[in-house]
Amino acid sequence: MVGIVLASHGGFADGIAQSAQMLFGEQDNFAHVILSPDEGPNDIRSKMEDAIASFDDSNEVLLIVDLWGGTPFNQANGLLEDHENWAVVSGMNLPMVVEALTQRMTNPDHTAKEIATAIIEPAKDGIKTKPTDLMPKTEASVQGGAGVAKPAKSIPEGTVVGDGHIKYVLARIDSRLLHGQVATGWIPAMHPDRVIVVSDSVAKDEMRKSMIREAAPSGVKAHTVPIKKMIEIANDPRFGNTHALLLFENPEDVLTVIKAGIDLKTINVGSMSYKVGDINANNVLSMNQDDVDTFRELEKMGVEFDVRKVPTDKGGNMDAILNKAQSLLDEQKK
């Protein structure tokens, strides 16, 4: 595994590392070092060397620094002289670090140099403006949004593409829908070509739909559809080559689509935000009685639950979570 070191002037590297690990969870062979105002070049170099010495393998190391020509860069560059497999990338931003961790997770055989090359474009693509016309004309193309969820007009209705059935690479309950953990963790891990948010309420909200489109990583189309439309899409044989990641706000919507015939055997349970009347079943799942009853009904139908925020998390015990939730709800009624 490639070891990754973030280095910066001041606390920048610390903050970027904290943000990245909020999305990916704690990372091995991942370090962040800073140059404080009262320190010099030897101090930051020593911190880099200590960080690298803590890695399982120091043969492949990627150093990501803030400024080209700054002290962290110069010291990182000096370390490269004796290590031909290492690489340095400057201009550190969060999309760059997220992509580095994604590359390392999904391509464990990649070298430091291969990851260095792979993180440049995502770092650039992470720079966008609102309004979009503030972007320089030469960069405007990176802000293209995805269209609506429908097959190409050139495919006649009734045409069977592939085997005529959508491939569901992941179905996830997450009240935050398409956000950082999904965009940087689940999408690279599951490789969908389409993300579909299934929600009657969100499908009516143009602002949220726009935000969802813009949150999708490059190369993945994102759509928001009401439940009825999702059922139509699932039965349309023209989507036979589609690999979809489905996002639901709650278990009730999942139950509705499964009863309508959408074949979802496993549901990833990510997060359910608190609403008035809910209890906190754990630190990320808040439920009411309807939610617990729905999960139990899904369970009786043979649906399995994968309780993880990100792919690298250890799976939780859904039965234990539901038992705790029911106990707290019973206490609430007294």
Side-chain angles (χ1 to χ4, degrees):
M1 175 185 287
V2 174
I4 298 174
V5 181
L6 312 184
S8 72
H9 297 80
F12 183 45
D14 291 345
I16 291 274
Q18 182 183 44
S19 296
Q21 291 188 115
M22 285 180 66
L23 301 172
F24 283 87
E26 292 296 321
Q27 294 289 301
D28 294 328
N29 301 301
F30 179 64
H32 44 102
V33 299
I34 65 170
L35 177 66
S36 298
D38 58 346
E39 294 179 327
N42 290 337
D43 296 299
I44 189 69
R45 184 183 181 111
S46 178
K47 291 178 182 179
M48 291 178 183
E49 290 172 336
D50 289 346
I52 294 167
S54 72
F55 293 164
D56 296 336
D57 181 3
S58 60
N59 185 53
E60 294 281 349
V61 175
L62 173 63
L63 298 108
I64 301 178
V65 302
D66 52 358
L67 292 173
W68 182 276
T71 299
F73 169 82
N74 291 335
Q75 296 309 306
N77 190 44
L79 292 173
L80 249 65
E81 295 178 0
D82 299 320
H83 301 88
E84 63 179 17
N85 292 336
W86 293 11
V88 178
V89 178
S90 68
M92 176 169 56
N93 62 12
L94 184 56
M96 174 188 289
V97 175
V98 162
E99 183 64 22
L101 294 174
T102 299
Q103 287 287 329
R104 192 176 70 168
M105 178 178 69
T106 57
N107 302 289
D109 294 331
H110 269 13
T111 66
K113 291 180 178 179
E114 288 173 326
I115 294 177
T117 299
I119 67 178
I120 303 304
E121 287 305 316
K124 293 178 181 178
D125 289 347
I127 303 172
K128 300 182 181 181
T129 65
K130 212 54 164 169
T132 56
D133 59 8
L134 298 180
M135 290 291 288
K137 297 301 182 184
T138 55
E139 296 293 327
S141 61
V142 304
Q143 302 205 52
V148 296
K150 59 183 179 182
K153 292 181 179 179
S154 58
I155 303 177
E157 187 174 348
T159 301
V160 178
V161 175
D163 64 2
H165 300 287
I166 293 180
K167 314 303 180 294
Y168 301 108
V169 300
L170 184 76
R172 175 178 171 90
I173 296 172
D174 190 334
S175 54
R176 293 177 293 171
L177 299 173
L178 181 49
H179 59 100
Q181 290 175 346
V182 176
T184 63
W186 289 106
I187 289 177
M190 306 310 294
H191 305 293
D193 49 49
R194 203 177 290 265
V195 173
I196 306 177
V197 171
V198 185
S199 168
D200 288 345
S201 60
V202 181
K204 299 174 183 177
D205 188 330
E206 290 301 324
M207 179 174 292
R208 291 188 71 185
K209 287 168 64 176
S210 175
M211 291 174 66
I212 287 166
R213 285 196 300 270
E214 293 177 6
S218 178
V220 178
K221 295 180 179 181
H223 317 283
T224 302
V225 299
I227 294 172
K228 183 179 178 180
K229 182 64 176 178
M230 183 64 232
I231 295 167
E232 292 176 3
I233 292 169
N235 292 319
D236 190 329
R238 291 175 292 178
F239 288 96
N241 285 337
T242 297
H243 294 76
L245 188 157
L246 304 185
L247 294 173
F248 299 88
E249 291 183 286
N250 55 64
E252 290 79 10
D253 288 350
V254 174
L255 180 61
T256 299
V257 301
I258 290 178
K259 284 184 172 180
I262 295 181
D263 187 20
L264 302 177
K265 294 180 172 60
T266 300
I267 303 299
N268 171 241
V269 184
S271 73
M272 294 170 61
S273 59
Y274 179 83
K275 306 180 298 298
V276 176
D278 284 357
I279 54 85
N280 294 315
N282 64 16
N283 63 332
V284 295
L285 297 176
S286 298
M287 304 181 190
N288 57 33
Q289 190 63 60
D290 287 342
D291 297 326
V292 173
D293 292 344
T294 301
F295 278 122
R296 289 303 188 191
E297 186 171 354
L298 288 166
E299 190 175 51
K300 290 176 181 177
M301 296 171 69
V303 175
E304 297 183 354
F305 301 115
D306 172 25
V307 187
R308 287 185 292 168
K309 292 187 294 182
V310 294
T312 53
D313 281 350
K314 181 180 179 180
N317 185 324
M318 191 61 175
D319 190 56
I321 291 170
L322 292 175
N323 286 338
K324 178 183 176 182
Q326 188 62 65
S327 178
L328 292 171
L329 287 165
D330 291 342
E331 285 293 323
Q332 188 183 71
K333 295 172 185 176
K334 292 180 179 179

